[in-house]
Amino acid sequence: MAIRPIVKFPDPRLRAVAEPVTAFDADLRMLAADLLDTMRAAPGIGITAAHIGIGRRLVVLELPDDGVRIYVNPEIVHASSDMVRQREGSVSMPGVSEEVERHARVRVHYRDLDGNEQNEESDGLLAVCHQHEIDQLDGIFWLQRISRLKRDRIIRRYEKSRHDGAP
């Protein structure tokens, strides 16, 4: 396992739509393990292959007290009409965060590392993470989910922190 370099905002690879995974093999398992190591080192609670510049539909999550979850080719197949607000950020844009409005509950269809089809219902932080990371796979960076005013303010703050020597 290895910690891989994280693609930083505004790299255009963060806006690219990831391709479906077709090979459920040792390389996919190694990529998932590397994503987990990279996410933990960042630190973060969610990461996609896109965050390390690989355009494949792979998500790794590790929420507090919830263990590691790996999703291959995930898609949201149902979302509740009720909404929640949760503070979000990205391993590709460290040091900044903002509240984002998301669906309170979602159902996700995905494959596990062996290629078996799975479905999962989620709410709370897990539902927010599902939506955030699947957006990333679809080329939607989290900043696109907030107002232009807030987005511009966050980008200025992020650029200033990078200029001042932050990662």
Side-chain angles (χ1 to χ4, degrees), residues 35 38 44 61 83 95 103 127 129 133 165:
L35 282 174
T38 303
L61 298 177
M83 307 296 280
H103 297 279
C129 289
E133 302 304 351

Side-chain angles (χ1 to χ4, degrees), residues 95-116:
V96 296
S97 63
E98 183 58 66
E99 281 195 351
V100 177
E101 188 173 52
R102 301 275 187 184
H103 297 279
R105 290 178 306 285
V106 296
R107 183 179 314 121
V108 177
H109 177 78
Y110 66 99
R111 293 185 182 270
D112 62 23
L113 286 174
D114 295 319
N116 300 311

